[in-house]
Amino acid sequence: MGRVEGKVAIVTGGASGIGRSTCQTLAREGASVMIADIDDAAANKSTNTIGDGAIPFHLDVTKEEHWQQAVTYCLDQFKRLDIVVNCAGIGVSGDFEETDLSEWNNMIAVNLTGVMLGCKHGIKGMKAGNTGGSIINLSSLGGLIGAPDVVGYCATKGGVTLLTKSVALYCAQHKLNIRCNSVHPTYVDSEMLDPIAEMFGSREAMITAMATEVPIGRIAIPQDIANAILFLSSDESAMITGSPLIVDGGQAAGVMGKHSGP
Ligand SMILES: NC(=O)c1ccc[n+]([C@@H]2O[C@H](COP(=O)([O-])OP(=O)(O)OC[C@H]3O[C@@H](n4cnc5c(N)ncnc54)[C@H](O)[C@@H]3O)[C@@H](O)[C@H]2O)c1
């Protein structure tokens, strides 16, 4: 308990999945949390699971004026901003040659521009609050290696990987006492996978099939990712910046197989 005691966090995408679990985890460990999402009803529900310590805030990550309002509100309410978790994201799968340009542009706007705006305005808020801070950007395993049926998604997440490193170096160069790291999950059993579960016919079938790709034999749950985000949010990770934290059950470590006989 108390690993982020007294800190103040803005978590985008906090109404669902990994973001919701992150809000609950940060609040349990002593932080005040702004649950920032476009889905107001779900953000309210997420807030109710926490009670004191959480505030819902309507934020479309693609809109710069929303970010300005969110940071202003945060500083008015709490006088500080210590943690920004850029978790809002969307995924579109399908045949690359059939890529719809408006879907592509929307995915770039939410997954990449939204994260850039979160870093930009997060830094401004942390400077104004004079506390330093930690920015955590949700990339993906797909931000480190490619996949043929989620080309655009991987492109946005790869962008987040290097955006994170560059922002980390910017903050270090300007001696801002602000760290910036990315988190790279494998499949996580969240609402984001609902459309894929439908394609598999059932959630169980999807989870079983996906688990075969993960060396430790299961896909992630949102709490697995929230635990990594908690670590990067806390002062326990004070020496870590510009780092990709891979939370994938070993999937990116190499190929499984028998290399010493049958
Ligand atoms: N679920 C996975 O398998 C998985 C794997 C790797 C990485 N990720 C990444 O983790 C992050 C969270 O994923 P999740 O599984 O919790 O997804 P989710 O679909 O459960 O939640 C995403 C949240 O983002 C919000 N959102 C969407 N567009 C927004 C916008 N423009 N402004 C503000 N909020 C917006 C949604 O309302 C929703 O609450 C995403 O960035 C995703 O790409 C997920």
Side-chain angles (χ1 to χ4, degrees), residues 12-20 36-40 42-43 58-63 66 86-91 106 109-111 114-115 137-142 153 156-157 183-193 196 210 219-220 222 225:
T12 74
S16 176
I18 297 167
R20 180 174 56 222
D37 207 289
I38 38 167
D39 186 339
D40 296 328
H58 182 83
L59 174 108
D60 179 340
V61 293
T62 67
K63 297 201 159 61
H66 285 202
N86 288 306
C87 195
I90 53 176
N106 192 36
V110 177
N111 292 5
V115 176
N137 297 330
L138 264 294
S139 178
S140 170
L141 194 52
Y153 181 78
T156 63
K157 293 299 182 179
V183 174
H184 302 259
T186 181
Y187 307 114
V188 184
D189 188 11
S190 76
E191 287 87 331
M192 185 175 261
L193 299 191
I196 304 175
M210 286 176 166
I219 69 167
I225 316 306

Side-chain angles (χ1 to χ4, degrees), residues 163-239:
L163 171 71
T164 302
K165 289 178 185 290
S166 301
V167 168
L169 293 176
Y170 172 87
C171 293
Q173 188 175 55
H174 290 79
K175 305 204 180 317
L176 300 181
N177 189 26
I178 297 171
R179 299 181 292 110
C180 185
N181 293 290
S182 52
V183 174
H184 302 259
T186 181
Y187 307 114
V188 184
D189 188 11
S190 76
E191 287 87 331
M192 185 175 261
L193 299 191
D194 289 354
I196 304 175
E198 256 178 54
M199 290 179 218
F200 272 89
S202 78
R203 197 154 202 101
E204 292 66 33
M206 175 193 74
I207 289 172
T208 305
M210 286 176 166
T212 63
E213 295 177 41
V214 185
I216 66 166
R218 69 169 177 91
I219 69 167
I221 57 171
Q223 186 67 57
D224 290 316
I225 316 306
N227 291 342
I229 295 170
L230 170 64
F231 169 65
L232 291 174
S233 302
S234 78
D235 296 338
E236 295 159 23
S237 56
M239 192 57 187

